[in-house]
Amino acid sequence: MTLHIFNLDHDLVLAAGNEHFTAPKAARTLYADLGFLPALWAKEGDFVLVAEMESANERLRHIKGRGKGVQLIDRDTLKRMLADGSINCSTLKIEPWGWDKNVSELLEGLGVKADALPTTEWLENVRCISSREWVSDNLLPALVSQLNNIHPANFLGASFVVKSMEQLGKLLQSHTQVVVKAPWSSSGRGIRYIENSPDPSTAGWCANMIEKQGCITVEPYYNKVRDFGMEFNVDANGHVRYLGLSIFKTSKRTYTGSLLATEATKTQYLLQYVDADVLKTTAYIIAEMLSRLLANNYVGPLGVDMMLVNVEGESKLKVHPCVELNLRRTMGHVALALTPLETEPQQLMNIDYSKGTYHLRLHTLADGLLNTSIARL
């Protein structure tokens, strides 16, 4: 029996660190409207914590064939069931969207015993590894090097950790067009662009991030052609298993939608841009490296966002194998949970916001319009 929680404010909690955190209105509305989403991958007999049971059940009913045998419960109901023994805390497995101090404190307040929750040290490790600084120092350089040793000149990607404005100024002397990122941020909000030198607003933002979060990361600006990603899961033994491709699109650095299709269809789509062996090797090497790096530090789903890059003067696109490491569930995992059978039509999934409400939308693709439909996400 598993309790699922769609705590989509996870990245914001990580950015807040030890500061008091109150979820913004948009995050609270998103949870109220889409808190049922874990029912799409939950198993029969599982529970999903939602803001309000009646409305969540009504929204879930619109997604045919999903959520059968899954019980949606609110906080009061969960607290009561834990107190009266209807839910056995000692055998209950908990799977939030992402583990952080806020969701752990919430569960403890509802009656989940402390020994059933991650330790403070484990949660801090998750926060550390979730930072772009950790990726820059521990994963990206070695990943690009190892992949290029196998498939020479097929991969790129660099990231520099900057801890002072003086250091940023020196870096801009050799890298005139860059992307600056906060160590922790959500939905592209912690990102700025600099060409030659920062304007006063951007300089102030950089200085503030260095003061609040300890550093910023600075990456060369790449001419992106295509977003995609790979989804993984880390088991209790530390083994990282590759789950599948994620074909998604962003607009103004914010997620706009995903392709729901078989693995064969997604692979075929990417083969327009990159060789099959390159994709296969990328998944294998990432799983191998993360199995070593995450040993005893993380259990659960994770996703790696990537992109295909056009380099001036080069005849073929290059792969950036780790634009972001998401040490949590992702919309790519949601898309994998909704993968159609070979006999079923391909679909596009997106989250639509209209009249103050969020909706999960699934759109069936017309035959032969895969590329056009993805471009319109």
Side-chain angles (χ1 to χ4, degrees), residues 228-230 248 303-307 320-326:
F228 74 106
M230 293 183 179
F248 65 95
V304 181
D305 292 345
M306 308 177 184
M307 63 182 174
H320 189 313
C322 185
V323 179
E324 301 285 352
L325 170 67
N326 298 301

Side-chain angles (χ1 to χ4, degrees), residues 140-168:
L140 183 59
L143 177 60
V144 172
S145 176
Q146 191 166 341
L147 287 169
N148 274 327
N149 284 339
I150 301 170
H151 297 287
N154 276 270
F155 298 88
L156 52 65
S159 177
F160 309 95
V161 177
V162 169
K163 298 188 176 183
S164 70
M165 293 302 290
E166 291 77 15
Q167 190 180 355
L168 175 61

